[in-house]
Amino acid sequence: VRGLEGDLLVFLPGAGEIRRAMDACAEIAKAHDAVVVALHGDLPPAEQDKAVRAEGKRKIILSTNIAETSLTLPRVTAVVDSGQARVATYSPWSGLPRLTTARISRASAEQRAGRAGRVREGTCVRLYTKGEFLGFHAHDVPEIRRADFAAPLLLLRCFAPRDLVYFET
C-alpha cells in the first residue's frame, strides 16, 4: 500500500497460497526495498521469528490466520484480507478429517482489520464486497461442532470404568 509507513500483513488461507504469493511478490518487494516473509504454523520457529522480529527493511508478511489473534506485529500499518482460511472439518463419507478453504466470519474479519491499527492508525483492504461481508457468519463455528469425536470417545470408553456416564446430543 503506497504512502503508508510500516509493514504490510496479508492474510491468505494456507501455506500453498503463501508460497505462490511469495514468488509473485518477490520482484515488487525488491523494487520497493522490502522483504517478503511467510508466517504459518508449519514453519520452524526461526522462520516464524523473521516475520515477528523488527528489521530495518519494510516487510510484506504473508500469513495464515495464525496472525489474527496469537501475536502482535507492531510495525504493521496495512492489512490485506483475502476473507478465507483453512478450516478443519470431518468428512462422514471417508471417515477422515480434512482441511477445506472457507470464508471467515465477520468476527475474524474485524480481528484481521484490527491488526493494522495496533500501535498507530492503519488501513485494511478487504478482497470481498460489503455484501459478501454481511453474508459471513457472525462468528466461527466451534471446532467441537465440526470435528468427529467418535475415536477419542471410544478410547475413553475402553479405559473408563463401567459406570462412566456420557451424554448424547
Side-chain angles (χ1 to χ4, degrees):
V1 179
R2 287 182 187 217
L4 290 177
E5 296 178 10
D7 295 341
L8 172 65
L9 176 60
V10 181
F11 284 99
L12 297 166
E17 291 85 356
I18 289 173
R19 282 189 293 275
R20 287 190 294 280
M22 285 185 82
D23 291 340
C25 292
E27 289 299 316
I28 295 168
K30 187 176 179 181
H32 293 279
D33 196 33
V35 61
V36 182
V37 295
L39 180 59
H40 57 83
D42 289 337
L43 288 174
E47 289 295 311
Q48 292 181 21
D49 287 345
K50 284 183 183 178
V52 178
R53 188 178 332 118
E55 295 180 5
K57 287 188 174 188
R58 185 174 187 197
K59 283 190 265 186
I60 300 170
I61 304 164
L62 305 175
S63 178
T64 61
N65 57 358
I66 193 172
E68 232 175 77
T69 58
S70 58
L71 51 94
T72 297
L73 302 166
R75 290 181 32 159
V76 170
T77 57
V79 167
V80 175
D81 181 10
S82 69
Q84 298 181 327
R86 288 278 194 282
V87 179
T89 60
Y90 169 73
S91 171
W93 302 108
S94 67
L96 299 171
R98 65 186 182 129
L99 286 176
T100 59
T101 301
R103 282 291 190 188
I104 60 173
S105 65
R106 288 192 308 269
S108 286
E110 293 299 333
Q111 187 69 28
R112 288 177 176 193
R115 298 284 112 189
R118 301 294 287 182
V119 177
R120 58 182 177 243
E121 190 173 320
T123 299
C124 179
V125 176
R126 293 179 168 158
L127 303 181
Y128 44 88
T129 66
K130 185 176 182 178
E132 288 174 310
F133 171 77
L134 294 174
F136 291 176
H137 292 287
H139 299 281
D140 294 320
V141 176
E143 186 172 2
I144 198 163
R145 300 198 75 197
R146 295 186 319 253
D148 177 36
F149 290 99
L153 287 174
L154 288 171
L155 186 63
L156 278 173
R157 183 70 176 137
C158 289
F159 293 106
R162 296 282 176 218
D163 60 348
L164 176 70
V165 177
Y166 64 95
F167 299 93
E168 294 182 18
T169 58

